[in-house]
Structure formats: C-alpha cells, structure tokens
Amino acid sequence: MSTDHDDFGGLERDLPMLLQRRHVLKLLAGGSLLALASCASDTKQSAATNAAPTSGSAAPTAASTGSTAAATTAAGTAATASTTATGSAATCTPINEETAGPYPGDGSNGPDVLTESGALRSDITSSFGSSTTVAEGVPTTVTLAIQDSANGCAALANAAVYVWHCSRDGLYSMYSPGATNENYLRGVQQAGADGRVTFQTIFPGAYSGRWPHIHFEVYASVDDATGGGQPIATSQLAMPEDVCKVVYASGGYEKSISNFAQTPLSRDNVFSDDNAAHQIPTTTGSVDAGYTLELSVPV
C-alpha cells in the first residue's frame, strides 16, 4: 500500500480549488452584505415615509426644517436665559473692594472719628467738637444707594455708610499737617428703607499720585459703624474726568490742576484694573449751582 498522502492530486490540485472556493465564499458574503444593506436602507426609507405627513416630497424638508427651527429656538432660549442671568449677575455684582488708604479715621490706622458723638451727620463740610472749621470748595451732594447683592439688588435698609475724602488742597483731616485737629469731610449716615444715604460735602481735590476719589465703608448697622464693628464693604468713588477739569479750573483748586494731570485713571493704583467701570457716579450740576453725585452700591 502506498504511504503517499498526496494521493488525491496533492497541493497542485487542492490550492486552485481552495482559492476558487474562497472566491465563491467572498462573493456570497458580499452578496449577503449588499442584501442586508439594501434591506436596512429600505427599512429606513420606509420608516421615514411612514413617519412623514402625506404631503409628498416636501414633507421631509418640512420635518427637517421644523427640527432645525426647534433646535434653534431652544438654543436661542438658552442663550437668552444665559444672557438674562449674566445681566442680572452683572447688575448685582458687589462693588469693587478697595483699600481704605492710610487715612481712614476709623480706628484701623490711628484716630477713630466713628466713636465721636458728632460723627453721625449728613453735612460733613465742617469739623465738629473743639473745631468748627468749614472746608471750602464747590458744594457737592453725594447719594449712595446701598443694595443687597445676594437678594437681587434689593435696597439694604438700615445699613450705615461712612464717607471721607480730602479737602480741595488734598489734605485729610485728622492726619495731614495743618489738619490734624480737624475732622471735617468725614461722617456717617444710616440708610432708610430705600437703602439710600446722602451727604453734603465739597468736591474733593486732586493730590499727587492718585486719581480724585471719595472713600466709603458700608456697615450692616449704625451700631456696627460706631461701635467698632467691621465693614461689610470698603470702596471708593472715582470722580468723573470732565467734571474734574471744570471744577479744577475754578477758583481755589489751583493745586489740583498739576496733580490731576500727573495720574490718569488708567495708571491709578486703585482704579486702573478696570478704569473704575462701576465706581464713577452719575453727575449733574455746575460749579455755581454745585454738583450731585449718585451711585448704586451693591454689597
């Protein structure tokens, strides 16, 4: 008996047969895939036709347009909601926290005017106590509307505000040489139900190294302000440039002219971060009639 395993023609015959069978299988497989793809396509087309209204070829376009419009409307609604939220947030963002500076007069750096009985007042043009010196300058009314930033900018009733600033010559009472025995241009007011406080004062001068400004601290209550409590906000008002130019050109502010030119708002060490975008008050009036400054102060 032969022991040759290639008794059926061997590899020379089997290899072509195997290749032929593989080719047939590929054709069959390809045909199956095509059939499956065709079935899937027919099924999707059938589903689309059944789902669409019976308005002919325009129906898919209308359905597609409706979906796009709905998506656009949803996106628009979301964008509007986002814009509204952002706008509300921006409106109620707490005012910039700023330094109280070296002359606060609140006990944190030397003298404390807040513990003195005469500090609670609306007219801060004169000193009180042992001196009655009146600070000269263009009459100015400062009104601040204190708002609760955590409550939709609702009026913060009964808050207390301490305001202080330099004289037209750039001097700070209680600190500057020649004014250490004075306490003018400082005072505390309690807000009413509308959260507003108003002070009668003068337009501040410009001194070297700073843009003209008015300091203020906000306290939760008068008791906190006059009893050693901590302020809930400390900030500054930046005087409007156009008004500064007019005021400093008037009599008595001669020292402010050159000082004002030295430090523009963009280089001021307090306001330069955003050019006092939220700290410049609305201003009306004139040198002869006096000025009114108003600012909303969310805290």
Side-chain angles (χ1 to χ4, degrees), residues 107-259:
S108 63
N109 185 28
D112 189 354
V113 72
L114 299 178
T115 59
E116 300 183 22
S117 60
L120 193 62
R121 57 187 184 148
S122 60
D123 189 337
I124 62 174
T125 54
S126 65
S127 290
F128 61 88
S130 60
S131 174
T132 57
T133 301
V134 177
E136 298 182 352
V138 174
T140 301
T141 299
V142 179
T143 297
L144 304 179
I146 311 303
Q147 301 173 337
D148 186 352
S149 64
N151 189 27
C153 278
L156 193 59
N158 301 318
V161 182
Y162 167 44
V163 162
W164 74 98
H165 63 86
C166 71
S167 68
R168 70 179 180 183
D169 294 324
L171 305 179
Y172 279 95
S173 66
M174 306 175 75
Y175 291 91
S176 300
T180 54
N181 294 324
E182 306 293 348
N183 52 26
Y184 50 61
L185 308 182
R186 299 178 183 274
V188 179
Q189 271 287 290
Q190 182 178 23
D194 59 359
R196 295 166 68 86
V197 294
T198 298
F199 294 89
Q200 304 299 325
T201 185
I202 61 160
F203 200 89
Y207 57 87
S208 181
R210 280 300 317 274
W211 182 267
H213 57 280
I214 294 177
H215 292 269
F216 66 91
E217 292 175 338
V218 180
Y219 293 82
S221 66
V222 169
D223 288 343
D224 280 353
T226 59
Q230 293 298 310
I232 58 177
T234 301
S235 195
Q236 301 179 24
L237 273 68
M239 298 298 98
E241 181 176 9
D242 56 343
V243 179
C244 287
K245 290 178 178 179
V246 173
V247 171
Y248 297 160
S250 66
Y253 284 88
E254 289 78 12
K255 294 181 180 179
S256 294
I257 297 175
S258 59
N259 289 333

Side-chain angles (χ1 to χ4, degrees), residues 4-56:
D4 189 357
H5 293 286
D6 193 26
D7 57 340
F8 293 100
L11 188 59
E12 290 183 7
R13 188 201 62 190
D14 292 343
L15 185 57
M17 290 179 66
L18 288 171
L19 292 175
Q20 185 176 8
R21 288 173 182 173
R22 182 175 293 180
H23 179 66
V24 171
L25 288 172
K26 288 176 67 176
L27 289 175
L28 290 172
S32 300
L33 290 174
L34 287 172
L36 288 172
S38 177
C39 289
S41 177
D42 292 344
T43 302
K44 290 174 66 176
Q45 181 64 36
S46 176
T49 302
N50 293 334
T54 57
S55 55

